[in-house]
Amino acid sequence: MLRHLKKTAPDHGFIPVELSLADITEDEKEYLIKAELPEMKKEDVKVTVENGVLTISGERKFEKEEKKKKYHRVERGYGTFMRSFALPDDADFNKVNAEFKNGVLMVRVPKSEHAQPKQIEVKVA
């Protein structure tokens, strides 16, 4: 199973972005990471794989402050974020696929061909 390595969110004067809502599932063909990134654009999100570690990073920019608006509270996080996961040995690093839709990032990490179960036919001699 995927192991969480680190989660960082440097302080930029606002409440930092936390990428804490991520689900990781597995089936016989792949691992799937779903991360919630509401109100973000795909251009602001980056997914990399290096040395067996998958990293999701990006930046949520603060909305343009309007002079006529009076802000009573700002609780949503802004700034840069990064979260890394150690990939298991059976992951095929070269076929990782990421899709961003409706504020949810879905990263699919296929299992390598040799790691998938294979049924062997037993012959009668």
Side-chain angles (χ1 to χ4, degrees), residues 3-49:
R3 288 184 301 117
H4 174 258
L5 287 181
K6 60 186 172 180
K7 176 174 56 175
T8 60
D11 187 2
H12 293 284
F14 302 106
I15 297 171
V17 174
E18 288 292 331
L19 179 65
S20 58
L21 300 177
D23 295 336
I24 302 171
T25 58
E26 171 187 4
D27 63 23
E28 65 278 350
K29 295 180 182 178
E30 68 183 3
Y31 298 95
L32 174 63
I33 300 171
K34 284 185 180 180
E36 290 185 359
L37 300 168
E39 296 185 28
M40 290 193 68
K41 298 175 186 166
K42 75 173 196 160
E43 301 84 42
D44 298 327
V45 178
K46 183 175 163 184
V47 178
T48 58
V49 177

Side-chain angles (χ1 to χ4, degrees), residues 48-86:
T48 58
V49 177
E50 186 176 349
N51 298 324
V53 176
L54 183 137
T55 300
I56 300 170
S57 61
E59 180 177 8
R60 179 176 290 141
K61 297 176 176 113
F62 187 69
E63 296 172 356
K64 184 179 177 184
E65 191 171 334
E66 296 180 31
K67 303 272 186 217
K68 295 181 181 180
K69 282 188 180 178
K70 182 178 179 182
Y71 288 83
H72 292 278
R73 184 180 299 253
V74 177
E75 291 186 341
R76 295 184 301 154
Y78 298 93
T80 59
F81 65 87
M82 179 173 63
R83 186 150 179 203
S84 298
F85 301 90

